[in-house]
Amino acid sequence: MNLHDKIKYFPINITSIITLFFVFSLGTAQEKKGTIGAEEVDVVKSFSPTVSDAFKIKEVPLLDDKGNAQKETVKYTVLPFPVASTFTPAKGVAASVEKAKAQRLFENYASLGIGNYGTLQGSLFVYKKLQARDFIGASFQHHSSQGGINDVLLDDHFYDTKLDLFYGVKESDYSWDIAGGFQSQTYNWYGLPADFGSSLTASQRNDLIKGIDSEQKYNTITLSGNLTMDESMLDESKIKFHHFTDAFGSSENRFFAQSVFGMDLWNEAVTTSVVLDYLGGSFENNYTKTNTEAIDYRFLNFGLAPRFAIAEDDWTLQIGASLFYSLDTQASKSKLYFYPNFKASYKVVGDLMIFYLGADGSLKQNTYMDFVNENPFLSPTLFIQPTDSKYNLFAGLKGKLANSVSYNVSASYLNEGNKALFKANNYTENSANEPYAFGNSLGIVYDDVKTMSLFAELKADFSRNVAFGINATLNTYTTDVQAEAWNLPTMKINSTLDVVITDKWFAGAKVFFVGERKENQFNTDLVTNSTSITLPSYFDVNLNVGYKYSERITAFLKANNIANQAYQKWLNLPVQGFQIVAGASYKFDF
C-alpha cells in the first residue's frame, strides 16, 4: 500500500477504534451497577425537629372611631358643554433637497477682444451633429497687434490667423475623424543690438535702419486623420501632414503616421506602437549666402515600440523599449537607435504617497515649423537634424497632503545627443545684408547636452470656487562643444489661481518667472570673438476678470505684464509692456 492509500484509510481505522472503546466502556459500567450491595449506617443522635416560641403581643390596640367613620358615597357627573376646536392636523410631506439649476452647455461660441498696442483677439468655434453618428465643425482664431514697443527702431507688428475644418463619425465600436487647416503668420525681426551702427555716422545709421524691411511671413497647410477601434487588435491610428513655407523661399513637408496595436497576454496588456515619419525641405540660402545650391534635407524614420504593463493593488510596472531606424537620404547615411522604456510605481501610503521611477528615451525629429512655433524670430537659414534623446532617468514622490491638495516632487537626469539650441546670429552693418542679418534674428546650433533637473509641484482645490497651482524647476546643464547651453533657463516657476467669486463674477491670475540664460553675439566686422552674455531673469504677472451677464454672454478684462517690464525673452527682442484687453464672448446653438 502506498502513502496515498495509507492516508486514505487512516480516518476509518481511527473511527473503528473509538467505537470499540465506547462499547467496551458502556459494557463495563453496566456490570458494576448490578453488583452494588447493602451497607450499614450508624445513627449517633435521633433527629427530632421543634418550632421555637413566637413573640406574642401582650396588649390589644385600641382603634380611634373618628378615623374610622363610614365614608359617604360620592357620585360624579360630567356636564356636556360643547367646545369648538380650530386645530386641523396637516398631512405629512416628504422633505426635499433643493437642487442647483443645471448649467446649460452650448456647443458653439464666439469671442472678441480689443486692447492697447492695437491688439485684436478673436475666435469662433462651431459644431453641428449631422445625424446620430456623424458631426462637422470649424474653428477660427486670430491674434494681431500693430506694435509700438518702446525704443524699438523697426516695425514690430504681428498677425496670426488660423482656420481649421473637421468631420467625424462615432460608431459603437469605432470612431474616426479628418481635419484640414490653414494658418498665416506675420512677424518682424525688430530687435537690433543696443550698439547697432556704432561704426557708422548718425545719417548712415538712420539710412541703414530705414532700409531694413524686417517682415517675415509663414504659411502652413495641415491635414490629419484619426481612427480609434474598441474591439480590435488595432487600438488607434493617426496620420498628420503639413506643408510649411515662408517669404524667403523656404519650404517643408512632413508626413507622420502612427498605429498602436494591443492584446492581452497572460491577462496583462501588451501594446506595440509602429511609427513612420518622413521629413523633407529646403532653404534657399545659408546665413552667409555662400551656398551655390539650395540647402536640402530629407529624413525617413521607422519606429517600433513594444510595451508590457502589469498592474496590481499597490504597484504598477511598464517594461518596454523603442527601436528607431533613421535614414538621412540627403547625406546617404543611416543609423539604428535603441531606447529604454521603463516605468514603475508603488503606493507607499495608499494615495497619500506614491513612489515612482523610470527610464525612457526617443528619437525626436526636429522641423522648421516646430522651431518657428517656439521662436518666430529665426533666420530662414537653418540646419535641420534629429535629436537623439538617449535616456531620461527620473524618480520621485507624488500623492495627496489632503483630499484637495496634491503634490509631486522628482529628480531627473537627461542625456541628449544633437540637442537643438537657439542662439543669436552674429551680424555686420552692411546695407547689402538680408533683413535678418543685422543682429535681429536667431539660428540653431546642435550639441550634446546633459541636464540635471529638480521639479516640485503643488495643486490645491481649496473649495469648488478656488483652485491654486504652482510648480518650479531647477536645471543645471553640461555641454560638449558649445561654451554654454544657450537660452536654456536655470530656473522656471509657474503659478495659477482661479476664483469663482459669485454666480456672476470670476477671476484668475497667472504668474511665471524665468531665470537667467546665456547668449553670445558680436559684430564680425569689429571683433572675431566675444564672451557670453547673461540675459537677466524676469517675471510676468497676468490677471483676468469676467462677468457672466447671462448664460450666453460673458464680458472679460485681461491685463498682461502688469509690472510693465520690457524684458527680453530672446536677445535684442523686448516684449510689449503693460497690456490690457477688454471684450466679450457669446455662446450659442444652431
Side-chain angles (χ1 to χ4, degrees), residues 139-318:
S139 173
F140 173 81
Q141 294 179 329
H142 175 81
H143 185 197
S144 63
S145 173
Q146 301 306 311
I149 301 175
N150 293 334
D151 302 324
V152 168
L153 302 177
L154 300 177
D155 194 354
D156 60 323
H157 74 274
F158 70 86
Y159 297 88
D160 190 350
T161 304
K162 186 178 182 181
L163 175 65
D164 290 301
L165 305 174
F166 58 89
Y167 172 80
V169 174
K170 291 183 178 180
E171 296 288 353
S172 60
D173 55 351
Y174 71 92
S175 64
W176 62 270
D177 63 80
I178 56 174
F182 175 77
Q183 184 176 16
S184 178
Q185 300 169 286
T186 299
Y187 291 94
N188 283 271
W189 295 294
Y190 62 84
L192 295 176
D195 58 349
F196 182 78
S198 59
S199 62
L200 305 175
T201 63
S203 61
Q204 289 175 334
R205 180 177 181 272
N206 292 335
D207 291 341
L208 179 59
I209 293 174
K210 290 180 180 179
I212 299 175
D213 182 8
S214 59
E215 188 176 83
Q216 166 69 302
K217 293 183 177 181
Y218 304 105
N219 293 316
T220 309
I221 298 174
T222 58
L223 297 172
S224 64
N226 297 280
L227 172 65
T228 303
M229 308 283 288
D230 290 336
E231 302 296 334
S232 173
M233 288 187 62
L234 176 62
D235 291 339
E236 62 178 337
S237 184
K238 60 183 178 182
I239 58 173
K240 294 180 180 180
F241 170 80
H242 78 240
H243 175 67
F244 185 74
T245 60
D246 67 16
F248 289 80
S250 307
S251 177
E252 181 180 79
N253 296 298
R254 186 184 189 186
F255 177 82
F256 177 87
Q258 182 182 26
S259 295
V260 178
F261 300 89
M263 61 179 294
D264 290 335
L265 183 63
W266 300 308
N267 295 325
E268 302 295 345
V270 178
T271 61
T272 301
S273 176
V274 181
V275 173
L276 172 64
D277 190 2
Y278 168 79
L279 178 69
S282 65
F283 296 101
E284 285 195 353
N285 298 300
N286 60 19
Y287 186 72
T288 56
K289 298 184 68 173
T290 57
N291 59 300
T292 57
E293 297 180 355
I295 303 173
D296 297 328
Y297 54 95
R298 302 281 187 276
F299 295 95
L300 184 61
N301 303 316
F302 298 95
L304 184 67
R307 186 182 64 180
F308 179 73
I310 303 175
E312 295 295 338
D313 294 336
D314 294 330
W315 58 273
T316 61
L317 179 64
Q318 294 181 4

Side-chain angles (χ1 to χ4, degrees), residues 12-222:
I12 297 177
N13 298 333
I14 293 297
T15 304
S16 301
I17 294 171
I18 293 174
T19 303
L20 292 174
F21 178 77
F22 177 78
V23 172
F24 176 77
S25 300
L26 183 61
T28 306
Q30 294 294 333
E31 291 177 359
K32 289 183 179 180
K33 182 177 181 181
T35 59
I36 296 177
E39 297 182 6
E40 293 183 359
V41 178
D42 295 332
V43 178
V44 179
K45 183 179 180 181
S46 60
F47 178 69
S48 56
T50 60
V51 178
S52 61
D53 293 337
F55 177 77
K56 300 178 180 179
I57 301 176
K58 303 301 181 178
E59 296 182 358
V60 178
L62 298 176
L63 297 177
D64 188 357
D65 293 338
K66 294 181 180 180
N68 291 275
Q70 186 178 0
K71 296 181 179 180
E72 297 182 0
T73 302
V74 180
K75 295 183 179 179
Y76 295 92
T77 60
V78 177
L79 180 63
F81 183 81
V83 179
S85 176
T86 59
F87 173 72
T88 303
K91 296 181 179 180
V93 179
S96 61
V97 179
E98 184 178 354
K99 295 182 179 180
K101 184 179 179 181
Q103 185 177 4
R104 182 178 177 182
L105 300 178
F106 296 89
E107 294 180 337
N108 313 283
Y109 73 88
S111 68
L112 180 65
I114 301 175
N116 60 338
Y117 291 98
T119 299
L120 178 65
Q121 296 180 359
S123 62
L124 174 67
F125 180 84
V126 292
Y127 174 89
K128 179 66 176 178
K129 283 188 176 181
L130 300 180
Q131 295 179 359
R133 296 184 298 270
D134 57 344
F135 58 90
I136 192 172
S139 173
F140 173 81
Q141 294 179 329
H142 175 81
H143 185 197
S144 63
S145 173
Q146 301 306 311
I149 301 175
N150 293 334
D151 302 324
V152 168
L153 302 177
L154 300 177
D155 194 354
D156 60 323
H157 74 274
F158 70 86
Y159 297 88
D160 190 350
T161 304
K162 186 178 182 181
L163 175 65
D164 290 301
L165 305 174
F166 58 89
Y167 172 80
V169 174
K170 291 183 178 180
E171 296 288 353
S172 60
D173 55 351
Y174 71 92
S175 64
W176 62 270
D177 63 80
I178 56 174
F182 175 77
Q183 184 176 16
S184 178
Q185 300 169 286
T186 299
Y187 291 94
N188 283 271
W189 295 294
Y190 62 84
L192 295 176
D195 58 349
F196 182 78
S198 59
S199 62
L200 305 175
T201 63
S203 61
Q204 289 175 334
R205 180 177 181 272
N206 292 335
D207 291 341
L208 179 59
I209 293 174
K210 290 180 180 179
I212 299 175
D213 182 8
S214 59
E215 188 176 83
Q216 166 69 302
K217 293 183 177 181
Y218 304 105
N219 293 316
T220 309
I221 298 174
T222 58

Side-chain angles (χ1 to χ4, degrees), residues 473-487:
T473 306
L474 297 176
N475 298 313
T476 58
Y477 308 99
T478 303
T479 58
D480 185 23
V481 177
Q482 299 293 323
E484 301 284 353
W486 310 117
N487 283 293

Side-chain angles (χ1 to χ4, degrees), residues 189 191-193 196 212 216 248 250 282-295 368 377-384 423-430 432-445 520-525 571-572:
W189 295 294
L192 295 176
F196 182 78
I212 299 175
Q216 166 69 302
F248 289 80
S250 307
S282 65
F283 296 101
E284 285 195 353
N285 298 300
N286 60 19
Y287 186 72
T288 56
K289 298 184 68 173
T290 57
N291 59 300
T292 57
E293 297 180 355
I295 303 173
Y368 183 31
F377 307 107
L378 299 175
S379 62
T381 59
L382 306 182
F383 181 60
I384 303 298
K423 182 181 178 301
N425 288 319
N426 297 325
Y427 67 98
T428 64
E429 298 170 353
N430 189 336
N433 287 349
E434 294 290 340
Y436 51 77
F438 294 98
N440 52 347
S441 68
L442 293 91
I444 296 290
V445 296
N520 181 271
Q521 186 186 60
F522 56 90
N523 186 338
T524 57
D525 284 341
L571 181 64
N572 304 326

